[in-house]
Amino acid sequence: MFEWLSVHINEVSLLWLLPILFMFHDFEEILVIEAWSAKYGTRVEAAIPPFMRKMYTSMMHMTTRNFALDVLFVYILIVAVTCIAVFFSYYLLYLAVLAVFFFHVFTHLGQTIYLKMYTPGVVTAVLVVLPYSLYAYYRLLDDGVVSIADIGLSLVVVLLLLPPLMWLLVKNRTRNKQN
């Protein structure tokens, strides 16, 4: 199967699949988040450990519009790092975004298992994000585009950049909620 994919998907197409599949995944979330939150929000908030409540509470009270704005900001970032990878062959930021995309699958799975219910995004996380992420890593390594060291360095970038970016996202959600 990997051979067939390698023959039919060139490197540039592989890279551009990230923003396309990100939107496909996030459409699942955008379409159901507001109704799902209204229906299950109280149950979910009660199940969340206290140290995580602020981040999740901000999400549980979002409108579809506000969630879509969050998605738009992330999408712009993903398109920008994809452009950098495609046009300048600089892959570090792309690998960092790919790592977040990959690990995000386990966030969805963890939420679904912990809450013992469907959570928005879990279906496309498992059926789209996981296979794409694994294949993208395989292809980029197999084609010699990146190395294991590059992937390791991208994880350091994620560890450094993700906390302040998440803080800004939650802060923006709180501000949008008040407006």
Side-chain angles (χ1 to χ4, degrees):
M1 181 162 123
F2 282 167
E3 282 183 38
W4 185 89
L5 288 172
S6 295
V7 168
H8 291 88
I9 299 175
N10 66 28
E11 181 185 310
V12 171
S13 296
L14 175 74
L15 296 172
W16 281 114
L17 277 172
L18 177 61
I20 293 166
L21 296 179
F22 168 81
M23 281 312 304
F24 188 77
H25 165 67
D26 270 60
F27 282 145
E28 178 189 359
E29 294 174 317
I30 289 169
L31 291 172
V32 300
I33 192 70
E34 191 171 355
W36 183 88
S37 295
K39 186 173 182 178
Y40 298 109
T42 305
R43 176 180 163 192
V44 171
E45 285 179 30
I48 296 172
F51 70 94
M52 296 177 75
R53 279 203 183 115
K54 184 174 183 173
M55 182 173 69
Y56 280 96
T57 299
S58 71
M59 186 173 55
M60 295 309 297
H61 299 286
M62 292 183 77
T63 63
T64 300
R65 179 186 177 276
N66 287 346
F67 187 79
L69 283 174
D70 281 358
V71 170
L72 174 63
F73 293 129
V74 175
Y75 184 71
I76 290 168
L77 172 71
I78 291 172
V79 168
V81 300
T82 301
C83 285
I84 292 168
V86 168
F87 297 117
F88 301 104
S89 299
Y90 181 75
Y91 300 99
L92 181 63
L93 297 175
Y94 184 90
L95 289 172
V97 169
L98 182 60
V100 172
F101 198 47
F102 173 69
F103 288 120
H104 186 65
V105 171
F106 302 100
T107 302
H108 281 289
L109 284 173
Q111 291 168 347
T112 298
I113 292 166
Y114 182 74
L115 297 170
K116 297 177 180 77
M117 62 191 293
Y118 166 82
T119 57
V122 71
V123 173
T124 53
V126 172
L127 298 178
V128 175
V129 176
L130 183 59
Y132 168 75
S133 299
L134 292 172
Y135 180 69
Y137 279 124
Y138 163 78
R139 266 295 290 283
L140 293 171
L141 286 166
D142 192 57
D143 290 355
V145 174
V146 301
S147 67
I148 292 290
D150 295 328
I151 293 171
L153 185 57
S154 76
L155 295 176
V156 172
V157 169
V158 168
L159 290 174
L160 292 174
L161 294 181
L162 194 58
L165 290 174
M166 289 301 295
W167 180 81
L168 286 171
L169 192 63
V170 170
K171 186 172 177 63
N172 184 51
R173 285 177 181 167
T174 305
R175 188 183 74 224
N176 282 339
K177 183 180 163 188
Q178 294 169 354
N179 292 333

